[in-house]
Amino acid sequence: MVLICAPGVVAEQTARVRLEIVMDQYIIKGGKALAGEISVSGAKNAALGILAAAVMADETVTVENLPDIRDIDILLQVIASVGAVVERVDKHCVRINGGTINTIIVANDNSRKIRGSYYLLGALLGKYKSAHVLLPGGCDIGSRPIDQHIKGFEVLGATVRIQHGMIEAEAVDLVGNHIYLDMASVGATINIMMAAVMAEGQTIIENSAKEPHVVDVANFLNSMGANIKGAGTDVIRIVGVPKLHGSTYSIIPDQIEAGTFMIAAAATKGDVTVRNVIPRHMEALTAKLVELGAEVEEYDDAIRVVATKRLGSTQIKTLPYPGFPTDMQPQITALLAVCSGTSIITEGIYENRFKYVDELARMGTNIKVEGNNAIVNGVAELTGASVVAPDLRAGAALVIAGLVAEGYTTVEQIRYVERGYECFEKKMRDLGADMEKVDSEDMKAVQKFKLKVG
Ligand code: EPZ
């Protein structure tokens, strides 16, 4: 075990984060059908909420099945910056003890790089009745306001101000209350849950988000002694408790990573078994893949996707869970771009999540974006090109298109992809893909790859 994030000490992870800012790119030679099996890592969007919630105890919390991705490294840095002890047992396990926290001010610049840093608002407010957190970052896919988070904190009795780039939440007391969310916000549901778990009395959150990662955070908080019921439904009831205790908890598998590989299997007309998944979490995507003509077999903790022919067309609207996840919208668009017929995708969550379509067009797709709709006219073939990832899930979609395209594709700005996918290129290679990560400046590496794969 290596103590790499002592209270307030900048850890070696910072060096690692700095190193990864070097302009890496993926280089892919397309045309091969993916085959074999891969195992899905822990869920990024559960891990971010759980790591923040872990600071609410003054005892050691052990979190297992962490995904080894940049967003986790960054959040652990931020948690250490407020004085918590963070011990990296290995790349998939961390021990956190919030008993040494010495400030409620989260001003570490890293917190602006990710969305998940804002979960420290609910965690520190819930524990210390006070939290000042830098406004978060996250993928540039829309305005992403936090008015619902603030509304929830205020209904519980906090005063919230935004000044100097910080969200400042203060309360004399937090008292349980009835909160009705204007939309089923994942972040607001998780943040308000954390603010309420040690409040006086009962809190009801209506119109709460039902995503699997919301349920995972609730289960984790309950493992620390919280009293939360109804997570996974649109009414969550929380009875405040005076204190939370240590726990050992393993994070659920990442449904978005699983879906990304399922879609890549279908797009390359392959035969892939995705292990370490909860099939129930994948139902919206599974139904669509079957509708398109793929064969999908479900096992207890695995899903097999087989596509032997060119698939058909469909209509998709992204919705809060259990609807089709917005975080799989770019990936399924890349698949539909090479299916037969015309498909329509409606982005029901974000107002700006089709930016990647211009990059796909460089590979020969025929997609027209009109407002929050994309009309996808399937084409028989794509050709490799140099493209740039505008955000995390769009980067994954460009990789899927590169795996299908004839010839070579380079995907730049893959630091976005590495925020949410562990060993992405290795997992793709394990399925037979000709794909490597190289330094964009290293032309020799590019030539070496081309010589190796022919
Ligand atoms: C989480 O973001 C995920 N990120 C996102 O995944 C995911 O796309 C999103 O949930 C929806 O599933 C993390 O968990 C770190 P929201 P979050 O609050 O919490 C509006 C990925 O690729 N809204 O459900 O920010 C907002 O504008 C990332 O892994 C308000 O108007 O999502 C957005 O349109 C990308 N006011 C919609 O709701 C609020 O106070 C969804 O937001 C909050 C949200």
Side-chain angles (χ1 to χ4, degrees):
M1 178 195 320
V2 176
L3 178 62
I4 47 108
C5 297
V9 173
V10 174
E12 73 191 43
Q13 293 312 59
T14 303
R16 180 174 162 192
V17 170
R18 255 203 298 274
L19 279 176
E20 284 172 353
I21 289 171
V22 166
M23 301 306 279
D24 282 344
Q25 66 180 5
Y26 292 135
I27 180 163
I28 301 160
K29 182 165 186 265
K32 283 173 93 171
L34 298 183
E37 53 183 64
I38 57 104
S39 186
V40 170
S41 301
K44 163 178 92 78
N45 294 343
L48 294 167
I50 286 169
L51 292 176
V55 309
M56 297 186 78
D58 287 336
E59 298 173 7
T60 298
V61 171
T62 302
V63 181
E64 297 167 341
N65 198 36
L66 266 182
D68 181 26
I69 55 177
R70 293 185 64 226
D71 270 22
I72 298 303
D73 295 341
I74 290 171
L75 184 58
L76 289 176
Q77 273 278 311
V78 175
I79 289 171
S81 74
V82 297
V85 172
V86 177
E87 295 166 336
R88 223 46 209 260
V89 177
D90 62 37
K91 60 185 181 178
H92 295 128
C93 178
V94 70
R95 290 206 184 104
I96 291 174
N97 187 322
T100 53
I101 288 174
N102 50 36
T103 176
I104 52 92
I105 299 172
V106 181
N108 181 299
D109 219 35
N110 273 327
S111 58
R112 293 172 49 194
K113 293 185 183 134
I114 60 172
R115 188 92 187 141
S117 54
Y118 70 2
Y119 287 136
L120 285 169
L121 262 177
L124 296 174
L125 178 66
K127 183 179 183 183
Y128 299 113
K129 311 288 183 281
S130 176
H132 294 192
V133 178
L134 276 175
L135 280 157
C139 289
D140 178 12
I141 48 182
S143 63
R144 306 186 81 176
I146 58 166
D147 57 299
Q148 299 298 302
H149 303 238
I150 292 170
K151 169 177 162 179
F153 297 153
E154 288 175 339
V155 170
L156 292 173
T159 307
V160 185
R161 284 184 307 277
I162 293 181
Q163 49 189 12
H164 310 300
M166 300 282 276
I167 311 153
E168 299 177 356
E170 312 272 354
V172 173
D173 266 322
L174 290 173
V175 180
N177 209 326
H178 199 141
I179 298 159
Y180 196 96
L181 294 179
D182 297 350
M183 83 285 297
S185 156
V186 167
T189 302
I190 291 174
N191 240 339
I192 296 165
M193 240 179 359
M194 288 193 278
V197 286
M198 294 168 76
E200 284 159 38
Q202 176 173 260
T203 295
I204 296 173
I205 307 173
E206 298 234 31
N207 197 21
S208 46
K210 300 187 277 253
E211 275 70 4
H213 32 289
V214 171
V215 178
D216 212 26
V217 176
N219 291 340
F220 170 68
L221 283 163
N222 283 338
S223 79
M224 293 169 74
N227 180 345
I228 303 171
K229 290 187 174 55
T233 74
D234 50 16
V235 182
I236 295 178
R237 292 174 193 286
I238 302 154
V239 177
V241 295
K243 207 166 167 50
L244 297 179
H245 54 68
S247 167
T248 296
Y249 193 82
S250 185
I251 290 170
I252 56 168
D254 192 312
Q255 69 168 148
I256 307 302
E257 183 192 7
T260 302
F261 282 101
M262 289 167 66
I263 293 168
T268 58
K269 299 194 191 70
D271 179 349
V272 171
T273 298
V274 181
R275 294 211 169 287
N276 188 30
V277 296
I278 300 171
R280 185 168 40 79
H281 292 167
M282 308 311 302
E283 281 171 355
L285 173 62
T286 298
K288 277 299 167 187
L289 290 176
V290 170
E291 185 188 324
L292 289 168
E295 294 156 45
V296 181
E297 287 167 61
E298 293 182 349
Y299 303 91
D300 287 348
D301 62 352
I303 293 184
R304 182 179 176 193
V305 176
V306 182
T308 52
K309 59 185 184 350
R310 191 178 176 199
L311 301 179
S313 58
T314 185
Q315 286 72 45
I316 292 175
K317 176 168 186 177
T318 66
L319 291 166
Y321 189 84
F324 192 93
T326 177
D327 292 348
M328 283 197 253
Q329 178 258 88
Q331 301 93 310
I332 197 93
T333 302
L335 165 59
L336 295 171
V338 293
C339 289
S340 60
T342 297
S343 297
I344 298 179
I345 296 124
T346 302
E347 173 51 56
I349 306 291
Y350 294 106
E351 63 271 27
N352 189 17
R353 198 168 201 172
F354 284 119
K355 277 188 298 193
Y356 62 91
V357 166
D358 293 340
E359 293 301 303
L360 279 179
R362 295 174 191 278
M363 302 168 81
T365 59
N366 178 349
I367 303 172
K368 187 166 172 37
V369 176
E370 289 176 359
N372 64 349
N373 291 302
I375 295 102
V376 183
N377 298 304
V379 295
E381 281 194 351
L382 299 180
T383 53
S386 288
V387 291
V388 179
D391 60 68
L392 162 56
R393 305 304 176 184
L398 293 172
V399 167
I400 291 171
L403 293 169
V404 172
E406 180 273 323
Y408 297 100
T409 293
T410 55
V411 181
E412 305 209 12
Q413 295 198 155
I414 60 166
R415 65 183 185 284
Y416 289 120
V417 183
E418 295 186 321
R419 286 188 49 199
Y421 290 93
E422 178 176 342
C423 302
F424 194 44
E425 73 282 0
K426 181 180 177 314
K427 290 188 180 182
M428 285 294 186
R429 275 203 305 275
D430 290 347
L431 294 173
D434 287 331
M435 175 176 173
E436 282 186 11
K437 175 167 79 168
V438 298
D439 177 339
S440 310
E441 310 298 315
D442 182 353
M443 291 321 292
K444 278 208 204 79
V446 175
Q447 291 315 322
K448 214 168 106 199
F449 173 82
K450 290 183 174 178
L451 282 172
K452 187 165 79 173
V453 301

